[in-house]
Amino acid sequence: QVQLVESGGGLVQAGGSLTLSCVPSRTIGRIASMGWYRQAPGNEREVVASINLEGSTNYATSVKGRATISLDIAKSTVYLEMNNLKAEDTTVYYCKLDVWVENRLNFYWGRGTQVTVSP
């Protein structure tokens, strides 16, 4: 089984910045895409940003202009830099990995890392 090791969450003041990172515990195949999602209590999990192997990115409207996702292929690590953080960014952030294993596309989720933005 593959685990996604997430880091970078924590407490930050409004207007501040943080960078989340995520790396698989081991290499299992060819990465198709990686991304960050978030889920507030009572809400569905939503995409924050994603990036595929070709470097194409996708951002939620709520974070456009404030977030930058990047993928270090050599390290199989995805980063999410968020700036000008707002109180509404407070929630748990989850890393997702889509990976090709023997011609099948599998996906894995991290356990989540809490981001709390204080006023």
Side-chain angles (χ1 to χ4, degrees), residues 45-77:
R45 192 168 296 186
E46 60 177 10
V47 62
V48 179
S50 63
I51 184 169
N52 64 18
L53 191 62
E54 290 73 35
S56 295
T57 58
N58 177 53
Y59 294 94
T61 300
S62 59
V63 303
K64 277 184 179 177
R66 302 189 296 122
T68 302
I69 190 168
S70 59
L71 177 61
D72 186 331
I73 296 297
K75 297 181 179 180
S76 298
T77 301

Side-chain angles (χ1 to χ4, degrees), residues 2 26 37 57 61 67 78 84 90 93 95 97 101 107 111 116:
V2 174
R26 65 183 180 90
Y37 291 67
T57 58
T61 300
V78 64
N84 190 22
T90 295
Y93 286 70
C95 177
L97 164 67
V101 180
F107 65 91
R111 294 186 175 183
T116 302

Side-chain angles (χ1 to χ4, degrees), residues 88-105:
E88 51 263 42
D89 294 319
T90 295
T91 190
V92 181
Y93 286 70
Y94 298 89
C95 177
K96 182 174 181 278
L97 164 67
D98 294 328
V99 60
W100 289 103
V101 180
E102 297 180 352
N103 294 322
R104 290 185 60 184
L105 188 62

